[in-house]
Amino acid sequence: MQTLLTRNVPALDETHGPDSHEAELRALMAMASHDLKSPLASVSAHVQMLHEDYSTALGDGFRQDIAAIERGLRRMNQLAQDLLDYARADHTLELAPRALREIVGEALTEHVAGPNKVLVTQSGEWPTVVADAGLLRHVLDNLIGNAIKYAPADTTPEIEIEAHTLADGTVRVEVADRGVGIPAADRPRIFDAFHRCANTGGRPGTGLGLAICRRIVERHGGHIGVNDNPGGGSRFWFTLPKLV
């Protein structure tokens, strides 16, 4: 059985106030990011051909220039995708019962498979939740990805994922890491769009990931936050409403 929660973006001539501007901005972001993907893909393909055809003949300088272009293209592609995800976070929720452990497992598979070692600990209860599985997986994917990305250099990322049901039936999920942590000055704005912490250390990012997470969690009727992780790192948490 599937329950749909619909929220339509109002037409431009029917909107008034801050909420209407937010809806217009999201619609513009979705259109712009979608339209950017095709030319970016074309440029990336041509850069790849240049790399394959001329790297050997033109030497190290050419290869360094191509590498710089490829890094810029990856950042642009990531920004386009994040803008699209930010806009999509306001689309119709497709709610259905799903086993939380399965969604966590799907998110982990994207990060722990392959040669890079990640230490993952799972504990607590793993209830069934009523959620949009794709959007909930996006939240977990982002939190797990950040836990890995912000691990100190030359260390094995450590992630602890815990889920349990509170006394009132609310489900709380926590994703803890041993990363660089969040400076106190940045914490009030950590979930704001385009905000990046002062200690990112040059790691790539657009500052949209956690804003997308907050929007998805709030649309499910839950809350999201972050605390210090005892012993170092951060402990992100979010809640989902109790089953009815």
Side-chain angles (χ1 to χ4, degrees):
M1 179 177 179
Q2 188 177 70
T3 304
L4 297 182
L5 174 63
T6 303
R7 180 180 180 185
N8 295 321
V9 176
L12 296 184
D13 60 354
E14 298 174 350
T15 59
H16 302 280
D19 289 344
S20 68
H21 294 309
E22 174 89 5
E24 291 174 21
L25 178 59
R26 288 178 184 275
L28 178 62
M29 291 167 66
M31 179 179 66
S33 56
H34 181 271
D35 290 347
L36 279 171
K37 282 187 168 294
S38 180
L40 283 172
S42 177
V43 173
S44 298
H46 282 82
V47 169
Q48 182 62 32
M49 287 190 289
L50 288 173
H51 179 76
E52 294 173 353
D53 293 344
Y54 297 106
S55 286
T56 301
L58 297 182
D60 290 341
F62 177 79
R63 285 193 290 271
Q64 291 172 3
D65 290 340
I66 288 292
I69 294 171
E70 290 174 334
R71 288 193 297 272
L73 284 169
R74 284 195 293 271
R75 288 196 295 271
M76 292 174 67
N77 272 304
Q78 186 60 60
L79 177 57
Q81 184 61 53
D82 283 352
L83 287 171
L84 187 58
D85 289 339
Y86 189 72
R88 284 175 173 168
D90 218 30
H91 284 190
T92 300
L93 291 177
E94 298 184 2
L95 301 174
R98 280 294 304 271
L100 182 57
R101 184 181 288 277
E102 290 182 5
I103 301 176
V104 170
E106 291 168 2
L108 281 171
T109 299
E110 298 296 320
H111 296 281
V112 302
N116 297 323
K117 187 176 182 181
V118 180
L119 298 179
V120 179
T121 302
Q122 299 183 56
S123 60
E125 306 167 11
W126 296 93
T128 295
V129 296
V130 176
D132 184 310
L135 290 179
L136 182 55
R137 185 164 54 247
H138 186 101
V139 173
L140 290 161
D141 178 73
N142 189 277
L143 297 181
I144 292 168
N146 281 349
I148 295 171
K149 180 165 68 173
Y150 291 104
D154 302 321
T155 65
T156 299
E158 299 181 39
I159 305 171
E160 178 188 352
I161 305 175
E162 180 179 351
H164 56 275
T165 303
L166 303 180
D168 65 354
T170 300
V171 176
R172 180 178 171 111
V173 182
E174 301 183 7
V175 179
D177 61 55
R178 294 296 179 188
V180 297
I182 299 171
D186 286 300
R187 194 163 297 164
R189 298 185 57 201
I190 191 67
F191 296 101
D192 290 351
F194 301 109
H195 179 75
R196 302 204 71 206
C197 293
N199 64 341
T200 56
R203 295 173 177 85
T206 62
L208 277 172
L210 290 176
I212 295 170
C213 290
R214 179 173 68 177
R215 184 58 184 155
I216 291 172
V217 170
E218 288 179 349
R219 292 198 64 221
H220 279 79
H223 302 282
I224 189 169
V226 61
N227 302 319
D228 287 332
N229 192 23
S234 302
R235 180 172 290 269
F236 284 87
W237 58 266
F238 65 90
T239 61
L240 297 170
K242 62 184 179 181
L243 299 181
V244 295

